[in-house]
PDB file of all heavy atoms in Angstrom:
ATOM      1  N   LEU U 114      42.855 -11.138 -23.615  1.00  0.00           N
ATOM      2  CA  LEU U 114      44.115 -10.587 -24.078  1.00  0.00           C
ATOM      3  C   LEU U 114      45.349 -11.279 -23.507  1.00  0.00           C
ATOM      4  O   LEU U 114      46.375 -11.366 -24.182  1.00  0.00           O
ATOM      5  CB  LEU U 114      44.198  -9.074 -23.696  1.00  0.00           C
ATOM      6  CG  LEU U 114      43.291  -8.139 -24.496  1.00  0.00           C
ATOM      7  CD1 LEU U 114      43.338  -6.737 -23.884  1.00  0.00           C
ATOM      8  CD2 LEU U 114      43.723  -8.040 -25.931  1.00  0.00           C
ATOM      9  N   THR U 115      45.234 -11.758 -22.282  1.00  0.00           N
ATOM     10  CA  THR U 115      46.393 -12.415 -21.685  1.00  0.00           C
ATOM     11  C   THR U 115      46.768 -13.700 -22.393  1.00  0.00           C
ATOM     12  O   THR U 115      47.895 -14.173 -22.245  1.00  0.00           O
ATOM     13  CB  THR U 115      46.134 -12.775 -20.196  1.00  0.00           C
ATOM     14  OG1 THR U 115      45.114 -13.744 -20.059  1.00  0.00           O
ATOM     15  CG2 THR U 115      45.792 -11.549 -19.381  1.00  0.00           C
ATOM     16  N   SER U 116      45.817 -14.255 -23.175  1.00  0.00           N
ATOM     17  CA  SER U 116      46.137 -15.526 -23.880  1.00  0.00           C
ATOM     18  C   SER U 116      47.159 -15.356 -24.995  1.00  0.00           C
ATOM     19  O   SER U 116      47.766 -16.310 -25.413  1.00  0.00           O
ATOM     20  CB  SER U 116      44.845 -16.140 -24.447  1.00  0.00           C
ATOM     21  OG  SER U 116      44.328 -15.321 -25.474  1.00  0.00           O
ATOM     22  N   HIS U 117      47.363 -14.112 -25.473  1.00  0.00           N
ATOM     23  CA  HIS U 117      48.376 -13.888 -26.536  1.00  0.00           C
ATOM     24  C   HIS U 117      49.277 -12.683 -26.267  1.00  0.00           C
ATOM     25  O   HIS U 117      50.078 -12.324 -27.117  1.00  0.00           O
ATOM     26  CB  HIS U 117      47.669 -13.723 -27.901  1.00  0.00           C
ATOM     27  CG  HIS U 117      46.707 -12.557 -27.963  1.00  0.00           C
ATOM     28  ND1 HIS U 117      45.393 -12.684 -27.655  1.00  0.00           N
ATOM     29  CD2 HIS U 117      46.903 -11.286 -28.311  1.00  0.00           C
ATOM     30  CE1 HIS U 117      44.795 -11.529 -27.765  1.00  0.00           C
ATOM     31  NE2 HIS U 117      45.653 -10.645 -28.188  1.00  0.00           N
ATOM     32  N   ASP U 118      49.214 -12.079 -25.062  1.00  0.00           N
ATOM     33  CA  ASP U 118      50.088 -10.980 -24.733  1.00  0.00           C
ATOM     34  C   ASP U 118      50.914 -11.367 -23.499  1.00  0.00           C
ATOM     35  O   ASP U 118      50.362 -11.375 -22.398  1.00  0.00           O
ATOM     36  CB  ASP U 118      49.321  -9.702 -24.464  1.00  0.00           C
ATOM     37  CG  ASP U 118      50.167  -8.453 -24.331  1.00  0.00           C
ATOM     38  OD1 ASP U 118      51.229  -8.577 -23.655  1.00  0.00           O
ATOM     39  OD2 ASP U 118      49.807  -7.411 -24.874  1.00  0.00           O
ATOM     40  N   PRO U 119      52.174 -11.745 -23.646  1.00  0.00           N
ATOM     41  CA  PRO U 119      52.984 -12.263 -22.541  1.00  0.00           C
ATOM     42  C   PRO U 119      53.082 -11.253 -21.388  1.00  0.00           C
ATOM     43  O   PRO U 119      53.089 -11.664 -20.225  1.00  0.00           O
ATOM     44  CB  PRO U 119      54.340 -12.507 -23.157  1.00  0.00           C
ATOM     45  CG  PRO U 119      54.096 -12.695 -24.630  1.00  0.00           C
ATOM     46  CD  PRO U 119      52.912 -11.801 -24.923  1.00  0.00           C
ATOM     47  N   ALA U 120      53.172  -9.967 -21.657  1.00  0.00           N
ATOM     48  CA  ALA U 120      53.291  -8.985 -20.585  1.00  0.00           C
ATOM     49  C   ALA U 120      52.043  -8.962 -19.758  1.00  0.00           C
ATOM     50  O   ALA U 120      52.075  -8.960 -18.504  1.00  0.00           O
ATOM     51  CB  ALA U 120      53.540  -7.582 -21.164  1.00  0.00           C
ATOM     52  N   LEU U 121      50.851  -9.004 -20.408  1.00  0.00           N
ATOM     53  CA  LEU U 121      49.574  -9.017 -19.679  1.00  0.00           C
ATOM     54  C   LEU U 121      49.414 -10.369 -18.903  1.00  0.00           C
ATOM     55  O   LEU U 121      48.869 -10.340 -17.816  1.00  0.00           O
ATOM     56  CB  LEU U 121      48.401  -8.821 -20.614  1.00  0.00           C
ATOM     57  CG  LEU U 121      48.188  -7.344 -21.043  1.00  0.00           C
ATOM     58  CD1 LEU U 121      47.127  -7.267 -22.116  1.00  0.00           C
ATOM     59  CD2 LEU U 121      47.830  -6.457 -19.882  1.00  0.00           C
ATOM     60  N   ARG U 122      49.931 -11.429 -19.467  1.00  0.00           N
ATOM     61  CA  ARG U 122      49.738 -12.694 -18.774  1.00  0.00           C
ATOM     62  C   ARG U 122      50.573 -12.659 -17.454  1.00  0.00           C
ATOM     63  O   ARG U 122      50.118 -13.137 -16.428  1.00  0.00           O
ATOM     64  CB  ARG U 122      50.248 -13.850 -19.649  1.00  0.00           C
ATOM     65  CG  ARG U 122      50.115 -15.219 -18.968  1.00  0.00           C
ATOM     66  CD  ARG U 122      50.215 -16.409 -19.902  1.00  0.00           C
ATOM     67  NE  ARG U 122      49.003 -16.613 -20.625  1.00  0.00           N
ATOM     68  CZ  ARG U 122      47.951 -17.303 -20.100  1.00  0.00           C
ATOM     69  NH1 ARG U 122      47.967 -17.761 -18.897  1.00  0.00           N
ATOM     70  NH2 ARG U 122      46.858 -17.461 -20.794  1.00  0.00           N
ATOM     71  N   ARG U 123      51.768 -12.095 -17.493  1.00  0.00           N
ATOM     72  CA  ARG U 123      52.583 -12.021 -16.287  1.00  0.00           C
ATOM     73  C   ARG U 123      51.839 -11.170 -15.178  1.00  0.00           C
ATOM     74  O   ARG U 123      51.859 -11.497 -14.027  1.00  0.00           O
ATOM     75  CB  ARG U 123      53.978 -11.400 -16.568  1.00  0.00           C
ATOM     76  CG  ARG U 123      54.920 -12.371 -17.228  1.00  0.00           C
ATOM     77  CD  ARG U 123      56.332 -11.821 -17.271  1.00  0.00           C
ATOM     78  NE  ARG U 123      56.465 -10.584 -18.037  1.00  0.00           N
ATOM     79  CZ  ARG U 123      56.602 -10.520 -19.382  1.00  0.00           C
ATOM     80  NH1 ARG U 123      56.675 -11.652 -20.062  1.00  0.00           N
ATOM     81  NH2 ARG U 123      56.710  -9.370 -19.997  1.00  0.00           N
ATOM     82  N   ILE U 124      51.223 -10.053 -15.660  1.00  0.00           N
ATOM     83  CA  ILE U 124      50.503  -9.232 -14.711  1.00  0.00           C
ATOM     84  C   ILE U 124      49.324  -9.988 -14.131  1.00  0.00           C
ATOM     85  O   ILE U 124      49.061  -9.943 -12.913  1.00  0.00           O
ATOM     86  CB  ILE U 124      50.074  -7.933 -15.392  1.00  0.00           C
ATOM     87  CG1 ILE U 124      51.262  -7.115 -15.815  1.00  0.00           C
ATOM     88  CG2 ILE U 124      49.145  -7.122 -14.460  1.00  0.00           C
ATOM     89  CD1 ILE U 124      50.970  -5.950 -16.768  1.00  0.00           C
ATOM     90  N   ALA U 125      48.584 -10.698 -14.988  1.00  0.00           N
ATOM     91  CA  ALA U 125      47.463 -11.502 -14.511  1.00  0.00           C
ATOM     92  C   ALA U 125      47.885 -12.555 -13.516  1.00  0.00           C
ATOM     93  O   ALA U 125      47.236 -12.755 -12.519  1.00  0.00           O
ATOM     94  CB  ALA U 125      46.762 -12.173 -15.695  1.00  0.00           C
ATOM     95  N   GLN U 126      49.024 -13.189 -13.749  1.00  0.00           N
ATOM     96  CA  GLN U 126      49.516 -14.206 -12.817  1.00  0.00           C
ATOM     97  C   GLN U 126      49.861 -13.545 -11.467  1.00  0.00           C
ATOM     98  O   GLN U 126      49.568 -14.142 -10.431  1.00  0.00           O
ATOM     99  CB  GLN U 126      50.734 -14.895 -13.406  1.00  0.00           C
ATOM    100  CG  GLN U 126      50.393 -15.839 -14.526  1.00  0.00           C
ATOM    101  CD  GLN U 126      51.549 -16.329 -15.353  1.00  0.00           C
ATOM    102  OE1 GLN U 126      52.638 -15.774 -15.241  1.00  0.00           O
ATOM    103  NE2 GLN U 126      51.354 -17.351 -16.136  1.00  0.00           N
ATOM    104  N   HIS U 127      50.373 -12.331 -11.499  1.00  0.00           N
ATOM    105  CA  HIS U 127      50.669 -11.597 -10.288  1.00  0.00           C
ATOM    106  C   HIS U 127      49.373 -11.389  -9.509  1.00  0.00           C
ATOM    107  O   HIS U 127      49.317 -11.598  -8.289  1.00  0.00           O
ATOM    108  CB  HIS U 127      51.352 -10.276 -10.625  1.00  0.00           C
ATOM    109  CG  HIS U 127      51.459  -9.325  -9.468  1.00  0.00           C
ATOM    110  ND1 HIS U 127      52.345  -9.499  -8.456  1.00  0.00           N
ATOM    111  CD2 HIS U 127      50.740  -8.209  -9.172  1.00  0.00           C
ATOM    112  CE1 HIS U 127      52.233  -8.507  -7.581  1.00  0.00           C
ATOM    113  NE2 HIS U 127      51.249  -7.749  -7.979  1.00  0.00           N
ATOM    114  N   TYR U 128      48.319 -10.899 -10.189  1.00  0.00           N
ATOM    115  CA  TYR U 128      47.050 -10.642  -9.503  1.00  0.00           C
ATOM    116  C   TYR U 128      46.408 -11.940  -8.995  1.00  0.00           C
ATOM    117  O   TYR U 128      45.766 -11.969  -7.960  1.00  0.00           O
ATOM    118  CB  TYR U 128      46.103  -9.914 -10.431  1.00  0.00           C
ATOM    119  CG  TYR U 128      46.384  -8.393 -10.482  1.00  0.00           C
ATOM    120  CD1 TYR U 128      46.856  -7.833 -11.670  1.00  0.00           C
ATOM    121  CD2 TYR U 128      46.254  -7.634  -9.388  1.00  0.00           C
ATOM    122  CE1 TYR U 128      47.099  -6.473 -11.723  1.00  0.00           C
ATOM    123  CE2 TYR U 128      46.525  -6.261  -9.395  1.00  0.00           C
ATOM    124  CZ  TYR U 128      46.954  -5.672 -10.579  1.00  0.00           C
ATOM    125  OH  TYR U 128      47.253  -4.343 -10.619  1.00  0.00           O
ATOM    126  N   ASP U 129      46.575 -13.023  -9.697  1.00  0.00           N
ATOM    127  CA  ASP U 129      46.065 -14.318  -9.264  1.00  0.00           C
ATOM    128  C   ASP U 129      46.692 -14.724  -7.941  1.00  0.00           C
ATOM    129  O   ASP U 129      45.977 -15.156  -7.024  1.00  0.00           O
ATOM    130  CB  ASP U 129      46.326 -15.402 -10.321  1.00  0.00           C
ATOM    131  CG  ASP U 129      45.580 -15.222 -11.621  1.00  0.00           C
ATOM    132  OD1 ASP U 129      44.661 -14.411 -11.675  1.00  0.00           O
ATOM    133  OD2 ASP U 129      45.902 -15.947 -12.579  1.00  0.00           O
ATOM    134  N   ALA U 130      48.019 -14.520  -7.841  1.00  0.00           N
ATOM    135  CA  ALA U 130      48.671 -14.811  -6.558  1.00  0.00           C
ATOM    136  C   ALA U 130      48.256 -13.853  -5.481  1.00  0.00           C
ATOM    137  O   ALA U 130      48.059 -14.276  -4.309  1.00  0.00           O
ATOM    138  CB  ALA U 130      50.215 -14.747  -6.786  1.00  0.00           C
ATOM    139  N   GLU U 131      48.049 -12.573  -5.849  1.00  0.00           N
ATOM    140  CA  GLU U 131      47.607 -11.621  -4.819  1.00  0.00           C
ATOM    141  C   GLU U 131      46.228 -11.996  -4.269  1.00  0.00           C
ATOM    142  O   GLU U 131      45.930 -11.688  -3.107  1.00  0.00           O
ATOM    143  CB  GLU U 131      47.562 -10.253  -5.475  1.00  0.00           C
ATOM    144  CG  GLU U 131      48.857  -9.455  -5.341  1.00  0.00           C
ATOM    145  CD  GLU U 131      48.686  -7.994  -5.582  1.00  0.00           C
ATOM    146  OE1 GLU U 131      47.601  -7.547  -6.018  1.00  0.00           O
ATOM    147  OE2 GLU U 131      49.629  -7.241  -5.258  1.00  0.00           O
ATOM    148  N   CYS U 132      45.378 -12.526  -5.136  1.00  0.00           N
ATOM    149  CA  CYS U 132      44.031 -12.942  -4.687  1.00  0.00           C
ATOM    150  C   CYS U 132      44.129 -13.939  -3.562  1.00  0.00           C
ATOM    151  O   CYS U 132      43.413 -13.842  -2.536  1.00  0.00           O
ATOM    152  CB  CYS U 132      43.203 -13.405  -5.856  1.00  0.00           C
ATOM    153  SG  CYS U 132      41.511 -13.804  -5.391  1.00  0.00           S
TER     154      CYS U 132
END
Side-chain angles (χ1 to χ4, degrees):
L114 287 172
T115 66
S116 66
H117 60 270
D118 189 316
L121 283 174
R122 179 164 283 278
R123 283 191 299 276
I124 296 166
Q126 289 167 344
H127 168 76
Y128 281 114
D129 293 348
E131 271 196 349
C132 183

